[in-house]
Amino acid sequence: MRIGVYPGTFDPITLGHMDIIRRGAKLVDRLIIGVTTNIAKSPLFDDDERIAMVKAEVAGIEGNIEVVGFNSLLMDFADAQGASIVIRGIRGVTDFEYEYQLTGMNRQLNARVETVFLMADVSLQPIASRLVKEIAIFGGDIHKFVTPSVRDAVVGRIAERGLLQGDR
């Protein structure tokens, strides 16, 4: 059985992530979406909220998909899941440069696991969770970047935390 891991913080999960999940699920027998916390980022949603959000968003996607939280090195997580593939989405050159370096480091940690890069759909390439949050914080419409339920969760969290900025 070919097992793949698609890791990310998914804060929030975007239409770009969903595109990679749909396409990645076709490449493996089982796709594990690993939801993690990036210590360099301050998430809008906690781990359990992000896991629940991802589970809800992928519920209708065809394929053997599982959502698992993790807080370890990616290669350790991949090993624990029995994965031989890590799937990464690439939006552009900047993503590639970062992912290229990360892949090299991961290969030093575990050469058994291959990294597969999937180019984001052209219409989805500009989408980044960080930018979605920034747009929402300034009162912009994020419906083109996330599903309605994710949009409601983001807007609700921003209101709840009093983060709305700009001229209202």
Side-chain angles (χ1 to χ4, degrees), residues 7 13-14 16 30-31 36 83 94 99 104 114 118 131 133 136 168:
I13 187 168
T14 68
R30 182 170 160 230
L31 179 62
T36 189
T94 305
E99 293 295 342
E114 288 293 338
L118 294 179
L131 297 175
K133 290 184 286 192
R168 294 174 235 169

Side-chain angles (χ1 to χ4, degrees), residues 150-168:
V150 172
R151 181 191 63 223
D152 292 347
V154 170
V155 170
R157 179 55 49 90
I158 288 168
E160 174 187 302
R161 290 194 181 165
L163 298 174
L164 191 60
Q165 301 293 309
D167 298 332
R168 294 174 235 169

Side-chain angles (χ1 to χ4, degrees), residues 49-95:
E49 290 170 325
R50 287 182 288 112
I51 291 167
M53 189 181 297
V54 173
K55 283 182 178 179
E57 293 302 310
V58 302
I61 296 177
E62 192 173 312
N64 188 4
I65 299 173
E66 183 180 353
V67 180
V68 177
F70 77 101
N71 190 16
S72 64
L73 289 172
L74 174 56
M75 291 297 103
D76 291 344
F77 177 69
D79 242 2
Q81 300 301 315
S84 59
I85 297 171
V86 170
I87 295 173
R88 299 295 293 169
I90 301 288
R91 292 173 297 201
V93 175
T94 305
D95 279 355

Side-chain angles (χ1 to χ4, degrees), residues 48-149:
D48 292 336
E49 290 170 325
R50 287 182 288 112
I51 291 167
M53 189 181 297
V54 173
K55 283 182 178 179
E57 293 302 310
V58 302
I61 296 177
E62 192 173 312
N64 188 4
I65 299 173
E66 183 180 353
V67 180
V68 177
F70 77 101
N71 190 16
S72 64
L73 289 172
L74 174 56
M75 291 297 103
D76 291 344
F77 177 69
D79 242 2
Q81 300 301 315
S84 59
I85 297 171
V86 170
I87 295 173
R88 299 295 293 169
I90 301 288
R91 292 173 297 201
V93 175
T94 305
D95 279 355
F96 179 77
E97 288 177 1
Y98 171 75
E99 293 295 342
Y100 180 79
Q101 182 179 24
L102 189 61
T103 298
M105 294 296 287
N106 284 339
R107 194 128 179 91
Q108 295 295 316
L109 296 172
N110 187 342
R112 188 187 66 75
V113 178
E114 288 293 338
T115 300
V116 174
F117 297 119
L118 294 179
M119 292 301 296
D121 182 272
V122 172
S123 67
L124 304 173
Q125 284 178 357
I127 302 174
S129 294
R130 175 183 53 80
L131 297 175
V132 168
K133 290 184 286 192
E134 188 174 320
I135 291 166
I137 285 170
F138 282 94
D141 186 1
I142 59 172
H143 84 276
K144 293 180 182 178
F145 314 120
V146 296
T147 64
S149 60

